[in-house]
Amino acid sequence: DLIESAWNAVRTTVVAATEDPGSQLRLRARDALLSLGGRMAGDERLQGKVDGWLEDAATYVVTTYRDEITSLITDTVAGWDADHTSRKIETYVGRDLQFIRINGTVVGALAGLLIHTVSELL
């Protein structure tokens, strides 16, 4: 009970500090991140180390949780309403979607024509 009570008190304090824009925890975390960003901008060796760590972490997560990630994405997409999702994409992409469709059609037609031409010549 004592450990649970202490943990709840610490957790409550940390959550409250992260939600308060003026808290020392939040200000120090911000300063630390800005300092790290500044160091990374000028230190290629540090950039390489961080890239390696991130690559290792991403590889671990993907190889370890592959099935869970696949299931999450599959279940999420399966729950989408096709009409609603299409309207949403068209709203966000806007007029560019028409250009994407036209470009896709033109490129597909040219690729088909090239393949047909090459197969006829051979």
Side-chain angles (χ1 to χ4, degrees), residues 83-120:
D83 292 333
H84 176 70
T85 303
S86 296
R87 280 192 301 276
K88 212 171 199 180
I89 291 171
E90 288 177 0
T91 299
Y92 288 126
V93 177
R95 294 192 63 224
D96 292 341
L97 189 56
Q98 294 303 321
F99 296 114
I100 292 168
R101 288 177 178 151
I102 292 168
N103 287 340
T105 302
V106 170
V107 169
L110 291 175
L113 180 62
L114 178 67
I115 292 168
H116 176 72
T117 303
V118 169
S119 66
E120 288 296 316

Side-chain angles (χ1 to χ4, degrees), residues 8 16 22:
N8 286 334

Side-chain angles (χ1 to χ4, degrees), residues 6 19 24 31 35 42 52 54-55 62 82-83 85 89 105 115 121:
E19 292 174 350
Q24 283 298 310
D31 291 344
S35 173
L54 292 174
E55 183 179 338
V62 169
D83 292 333
T85 303
I89 291 171
T105 302
I115 292 168
L121 290 175

Side-chain angles (χ1 to χ4, degrees), residues 41-61:
D43 187 345
E44 289 184 18
R45 199 171 121 225
L46 180 59
Q47 291 172 9
K49 280 185 178 184
V50 171
D51 282 347
W53 294 335
L54 292 174
E55 183 179 338
D56 291 345
T59 301
Y60 173 79
V61 168

